Each structure stands twice: as structure tokens, then as C-alpha cells.
Amino acid sequence: MSGALAGRTALVSGASSGIGLAVARALAGAGARVAVVARRADRLAAAAAELGGGALAIPCDLADAPAVARALAQLRGAFGGAPDLVVSNAGIFAPAPLAAMSEDAFRDTLAVNLVAPFLLARAVLPDMLARRAGHLVTIGSAADRQAFPGSGAYGASKAGARMMHEVLRMETRGTGVRTTLVSPAAVDTPIWEEVDPSVVRAPHAAAMLDAADVARAVLYAVTQPATVNVDELRLSCA
Ligand SMILES: NC(=O)c1ccc[n+]([C@@H]2O[C@H](COP(=O)([O-])OP(=O)(O)OC[C@H]3O[C@@H](n4cnc5c(N)ncnc54)[C@H](OP(=O)(O)O)[C@@H]3O)[C@@H](O)[C@H]2O)c1
């Protein structure tokens, strides 16, 4: 396949809908062979069929560390090693006032939004460092810098992911491994469908970004010359 990412492999987490699916489309469109990871196997199979180019569907609950290890082993077998690009995008957003938030909701948010990106990064970094090439992209959020009511768990997870990205940036500088944080404001995706409007009211669709806008930012970051690291991109509606 031709394109800026021809010959490259990519893992996109949370690619069964929304931003992750748009990112998977953008990377595949640029020639990458993409593995899509999320829980809903039917949606992943449909995504892989649409993407073509040897795309792989790997169903996995990213909150389950042994399942993440199995998914990565499957991926290594198929790709012959760690992917060249990892986009940690899977996320959950279940806003509630902290006084009313269940412990499970708090732990689940941290597990998917913060611990899973750590598990993915830790698993692929040894190969990337040995190759002196690779790119870890984290999908952050406006909430990784700004506090919003109801975002006690979500904001903590996203601020933590931002800090983990910044530490990784320092730890990998000069190694050939690149790291990018892409932090959008509200994006029109299914994530808003389950949000309790009495806690957070979704902005009008016209005041939200499209998933494709975020995907273009990811594509920009991963198609720069190998000597350039795009540290952070913050997107909001114009
Ligand atoms: N939409 C916004 O306004 C907005 C703004 C800023 C940042 N973000 C961030 O963008 C990312 C993508 O969100 P989105 O808006 O595209 O929402 P979305 O359409 O709901 O997508 C979320 C994705 O995460 C996956 N996921 C959730 N829990 C998972 C788990 N336990 N294991 C594996 N995959 C899991 C979902 O797949 P399954 O359900 O199939 O598992 C889905 O593919 C998130 O990190 C979110 O925080 C979104």
C-alpha cells in the first residue's frame, strides 16, 4: 500500500467507535496496517473489514491486565513484533459528583484511561527502543489541564495520562522513540450518549469537534520527519 505510513504497523485502542475509529481510518488511509482493539468484537470486525490492508480486529477489555497481555501477544505474532505506532485512545467518561461516585466507577475510569495506556506503553517500549523508532500517541482531553465539575475521576485519569506522556517524552528523548499528546475539547462521538445531563450537559453538535478533526491531528503528528517530535496538540472548536 502506498502513503506516508506504508509499511508501518499501528495499534489503535478504542477503535470500535468515535475518535479511535476515525484515527484507524486515517492511519490505514495513509498506508499503515492497523490493529483495532476494544471490547465489541462485532464492531471491530466491521472496522477491520472496512480498513483493509491486512487490518486486524483484536477484542480486548483494556481494564483487564492479563487480557491486555494476551492481546499484545496476538498482535506481536501477527505483526512480527511490537507495532510502530500505538494510539492510546480508549476511554470512558461517566461524570458524577465525587460525593456520589461509586468506587467501581472511579477505579474503572482509571483502569481504562490511565492504567491501560501504561500497560500498552510498557509492553511496546523495549522493541521500540531496540529499533530506535516508534511513536506513542495519547488521546488526552481539555480535562487533562482544566477542572470540570463531575470530572473527579475522568480529570484525574486524563491529567495522569498527560503527566505520564510528559515523563515518557523525557525518558525517550534522543532514543528515536517519539511521544505525542493530542488533547481535544468536546468531540461529537457516542461518548456523550451515556452522560447524565443533570451532571454534565453535552454541548450542541455544532459546538463540538468531529472525530475526523482529531484523527487529522494524530496523522499530522505521526507523519512528521523522524527528527521532529510533536509534543502536544490541543484542539478546540474555532
Ligand atoms: N468525545 C469527546 O468529547 C472527547 C473529548 C476529549 C477527549 N476524548 C477522549 O477520546 C477518547 C475516545 O473517546 P470517544 O469520544 O471517541 O468515545 P467513544 O466513541 O465512546 O469511544 C470510546 C472507545 O473506548 C473503548 N473502550 C471503552 N472502555 C473500554 C475497555 N474497558 N476496553 C477496551 N476498550 C474500551 C470503546 O470500545 P468498546 O465499548 O467496544 O470497548 C470505544 O471504542 C477517550 O479517551 C476520550 O476520553 C473524547
Side-chain angles (χ1 to χ4, degrees):
M1 198 178 273
S2 62
L5 299 176
R8 313 273 285 283
T9 55
L11 179 164
V12 182
S13 77
S16 59
S17 85
I19 293 167
L21 181 55
V23 169
R25 286 178 174 140
L27 300 183
R33 184 179 180 200
V34 179
V36 288
V37 179
R39 290 166 301 181
R40 287 170 290 177
D42 54 341
R43 286 178 177 246
L44 292 180
E50 177 203 321
L51 296 174
L56 285 178
I58 304 188
C60 174
D61 181 350
L62 290 160
D64 176 352
V68 174
R70 287 194 297 276
L72 283 160
Q74 186 184 341
L75 189 81
R76 280 174 179 282
F79 283 172
D84 300 306
L85 313 172
V86 173
V87 181
S88 271
N89 160 81
I92 50 179
F93 178 51
L98 276 166
M101 188 176 295
S102 73
E103 183 178 337
D104 281 352
F106 195 92
R107 288 187 186 281
D108 289 350
T109 301
L110 291 184
V112 178
N113 298 7
L114 180 57
V115 179
F118 157 68
L119 294 173
L120 293 177
R122 189 184 61 171
V124 300
L125 272 166
D127 278 21
M128 289 183 173
L129 290 167
R131 288 180 202 150
R132 297 194 62 76
H135 203 141
L136 295 163
V137 178
T138 304
I139 303 300
S141 164
D144 64 23
R145 288 193 183 275
Q146 191 181 344
F148 295 96
S151 276
Y154 185 75
S157 72
K158 290 293 183 180
R162 174 174 63 79
M163 184 52 71
M164 190 166 66
H165 152 74
E166 290 180 8
V167 169
L168 261 178
R169 173 78 189 106
M170 297 184 81
E171 291 179 350
T172 56
R173 191 185 296 277
T175 65
V177 176
R178 293 182 284 170
T179 60
T180 299
L181 176 70
V182 177
S183 295
V187 186
D188 188 9
T189 74
I191 210 168
W192 290 98
E193 287 167 10
E194 303 297 320
V195 171
D196 179 348
S198 71
V199 180
V200 177
R201 191 166 292 280
H204 287 297
M208 292 205 250
L209 296 161
D210 288 330
D213 299 328
V214 185
R216 272 196 304 281
V218 172
L219 189 61
Y220 167 80
V222 302
T223 54
Q224 295 307 299
T227 49
V228 176
N229 194 86
V230 178
D231 297 358
E232 182 169 332
L233 292 170
R234 305 197 70 81
L235 311 181
S236 60
C237 246

